Amino acid sequence: MIRDGWRLALGTLTALPTAPPTVVNGASARAAVLLAPLAVLPLGAGVVALGWLGERLLLSGLTLGFLALGWLALTTRILHWDGLSDTADGLTASYDRERALQVMKSGTSGPAGVVATVVVAGLQVAGFAALLTSVRGAVAAGLAVCLSRLALSIACLRGVPPARRDGLGNPMSGVVAPWQAAMLWILWATGATAVAWWLDLPLAVMTPGMVLAAATVTALVAHCVRRLGGVTGDVFGAGIELALAAALLGTTAAL
């Protein structure tokens, strides 16, 4: 279960080479969701490395912000951005559920998808630009990358149905019990506090970002359940990108 969950997390959340899971069921999907923040540690480490390099090369925060965005896009195959675009297009295309799901499945980017991508990408660049001007800020940015994957524990909560029978949303929806999601958030909040103490940062530096990210993803999931009847793989991707933008901006405000 753990091995398949680890492979599923790496294969869907990163571009890192990994063997496919032997089976995808509720147990392996649950493990993948719970392991998601750990699976992207190499991506967060890359963001920290950018901050370290940028400080030594005297690169501007804006340059580092765009480099961080490009690094994450490259190492995730832009999969989550596609989900954000498709979700925005579906939610704005029609009040008819089937029509909205059809638009999301088409894979093309409409005006709403383009605007959503530009706005969220801009917010992420702004957050990275503010944090990557120091190594301590870069560590906080790297943590935000990992913490943003906690979005899946909300989108995959028990009681949140899949919007359709096919796609990634079906095997992964509803696999996480509320107590498991709560423990996961508490565990990562504790770890983030320990890192902040080690770096001599305010102990609650990551708290505003985590709260904002949780609220943003909860609102997205609730809206998708109301409009689409549930969640899809695209909604998972949208939740991750929105959670990252929220985590970065919340963390920036706390420093």
Side-chain angles (χ1 to χ4, degrees):
M1 178 188 70
I2 298 297
R3 183 176 62 179
D4 282 335
W6 183 250
R7 289 176 174 177
L8 182 60
L10 283 176
T12 55
L13 298 175
T14 77
L16 300 175
T18 184
T22 55
V23 61
V24 178
N25 54 23
S28 60
R30 183 182 307 109
V33 172
L34 299 179
L35 291 169
L38 280 177
V40 297
L41 271 176
L43 280 59
V47 170
V48 176
L50 275 174
W52 178 85
L53 184 64
E55 186 178 55
R56 278 145 184 79
L57 297 180
L58 301 179
L59 298 177
S60 70
L62 188 59
T63 299
L64 292 170
F66 276 106
L67 287 175
L69 184 73
W71 160 253
L72 293 178
L74 178 67
T75 51
T76 58
R77 298 189 298 272
I78 320 184
L79 184 63
H80 310 320
W81 288 110
D82 181 66
L84 174 65
S85 177
D86 288 344
T87 299
D89 283 333
L91 291 174
T92 58
S94 173
Y95 285 106
D96 178 73
R97 172 182 175 274
E98 294 301 326
R99 171 59 180 159
L101 289 173
Q102 183 181 7
V103 169
M104 291 173 67
K105 197 173 182 179
S106 68
T108 58
S109 292
V114 172
V115 171
T117 301
V118 170
V119 170
V120 176
L123 291 175
Q124 289 186 10
V125 168
F128 280 129
L131 293 173
L132 293 180
T133 53
S134 69
V135 173
R136 294 196 306 170
V139 173
L143 272 175
V145 171
C146 297
L147 294 172
S148 67
R149 273 53 180 180
L150 292 172
L152 291 177
S153 66
I154 296 175
C156 299
L157 269 178
R158 185 176 299 162
V160 178
R164 52 177 178 247
R165 295 184 180 275
D166 60 338
L168 187 62
N170 190 36
M172 295 191 69
S173 63
V175 297
V176 178
W179 72 266
Q180 292 173 321
M183 289 301 297
L184 186 66
W185 280 79
I186 291 171
L187 177 64
W188 277 89
T190 303
T193 301
V195 172
W197 173 81
W198 177 57
L199 293 174
D200 197 26
L201 291 168
L203 293 184
V205 66
M206 303 302 297
T207 301
M210 293 186 71
V211 172
L212 186 57
T216 301
V217 177
T218 299
L220 171 69
V221 170
H223 186 55
C224 288
V225 170
R226 184 169 58 252
R227 283 287 315 280
L228 306 174
V231 294
T232 68
D234 286 330
V235 176
F236 297 160
I240 286 173
E241 295 301 342
L242 287 169
L244 178 55
L248 289 169
L249 295 180
T251 302
T252 300
L255 285 177

